Amino acid sequence: GQQVMQIPQYQHVQEGEDFTTYCNSSTTLSNIQWYKQRPGGHPVFLIQLVKSGEVKKQKRLTFQFGEAKKNSSLHITATQTTDVGTYFCAPFTGTASKLTFGTGTRLQVTL
Amino acid sequence: GAGVSQSPRYKVAKRGQDVALRCDPISGHVSLFWYQQALGQGPEFLTYFQNEAQLDKSGLPSDRFFAERPEGSVSTLKIQRTQQEDSAVYLCASSLVSRDTEAFFGQGTRLTVV
């Protein structure tokens, strides 16, 4: 099936800088989840977005669902070394229950 | 158990051998997913169960791959006649229902085919 693209593929920031990853779909999504995978670890659920234009915050992380429900973003303010990992969006379309992942954005944070 | 458990954690197989990977989901979780993750890549969907029913197996790369969940709890992913390209981490995840609930992942099984 068609993969949802995430950009950038990789980003290297200095600690304290902000970071944003974007998830783009060519089709309208019903909802979207975000996961984080640390190096050597397994994906861990972060958030789920359902409503058009929805914005959710978790401490330094801000998640947004586009008005047209075709894209989503994750913004991290003032990155820390603990933010290192790969961030995946997991989009759902229609009534499908299959959990699939976007291409992922790998974040590297250095002091 | 407290989380999703996968065994073995590591498996080395000679090319041509059959392997069986086990997943113990969180008790009561209806949905169970299997993924294949190659080094440096994201998890690629293999198959999905709702209870004992295999609703989607579109991601299984060949007929050498087979998954089952006979009683709606423990699942086994079997790979027959392993090939070097099967080397990857195999992840299992479970969720309470499906699309609207978070998925919990196991630690994965790292399969190396030599």
Side-chain angles (χ1 to χ4, degrees), chain B residues 81-95:
Chain B
R81 305 181 303 281
T82 51
Q83 304 293 317
Q84 282 193 320
E85 61 263 27
D86 300 334
S87 296
V89 174
Y90 290 84
L91 293 164
C92 174
S94 71
S95 65

Side-chain angles (χ1 to χ4, degrees), chain A residues 10-11 13 19 76 79 83-87 105-109:
Chain A
Y10 170 75
Q11 186 150 11
V13 300
F19 159 77
I76 303 178
T79 53
D83 296 324
V84 164
T86 302
Y87 293 84
T105 295
R106 186 160 71 93
L107 172 64
Q108 179 64 27
V109 180

Side-chain angles (χ1 to χ4, degrees), chain A residues 30 35 37 48 94 96 98-99, chain B residues 35 37 45 99 101-103 106:
Chain A
S30 53
Y35 290 79
Q37 185 173 24
Q48 174 166 273
K98 182 167 73 176
L99 176 64
Chain B
Y35 299 87
Q37 187 168 28
F45 171 84
R99 55 190 288 112
T101 55
E102 67 179 281

Side-chain angles (χ1 to χ4, degrees), chain A residues 3 30-31 33 35 37 42-43 45 48 88 92-101, chain B residues 33 35 37 41-45 48 56 58 91 98-103 105-107:
Chain A
Q3 256 193 329
S30 53
N31 57 313
Q33 296 178 349
Y35 290 79
Q37 185 173 24
H42 57 277
F45 175 85
Q48 174 166 273
F88 294 97
F92 289 86
T93 56
T95 57
S97 297
K98 182 167 73 176
L99 176 64
T100 58
F101 290 87
Chain B
F33 305 87
Y35 299 87
Q37 187 168 28
Q41 304 295 315
E44 293 289 336
F45 171 84
Y48 157 56
D56 191 322
S58 60
L91 293 164
S98 56
R99 55 190 288 112
D100 291 324
T101 55
E102 67 179 281
F105 282 78
Q107 298 289 338

Side-chain angles (χ1 to χ4, degrees), chain A residues 41-94:
Chain A
H42 57 277
V44 174
F45 175 85
L46 295 176
I47 204 92
Q48 174 166 273
L49 305 171
V50 179
K51 299 176 183 175
S52 168
E54 187 171 15
V55 177
K56 286 189 176 180
K57 294 191 176 185
Q58 287 180 352
K59 297 182 181 178
R60 294 179 294 105
L61 277 60
T62 301
F63 302 84
Q64 191 160 3
F65 204 4
E67 293 289 342
K69 299 182 76 172
K70 286 187 175 182
N71 52 66
S72 181
S73 65
L74 158 59
H75 179 81
I76 303 178
T77 303
T79 53
Q80 300 175 358
T81 54
T82 52
D83 296 324
V84 164
T86 302
Y87 293 84
F88 294 97
C89 63
F92 289 86
T93 56

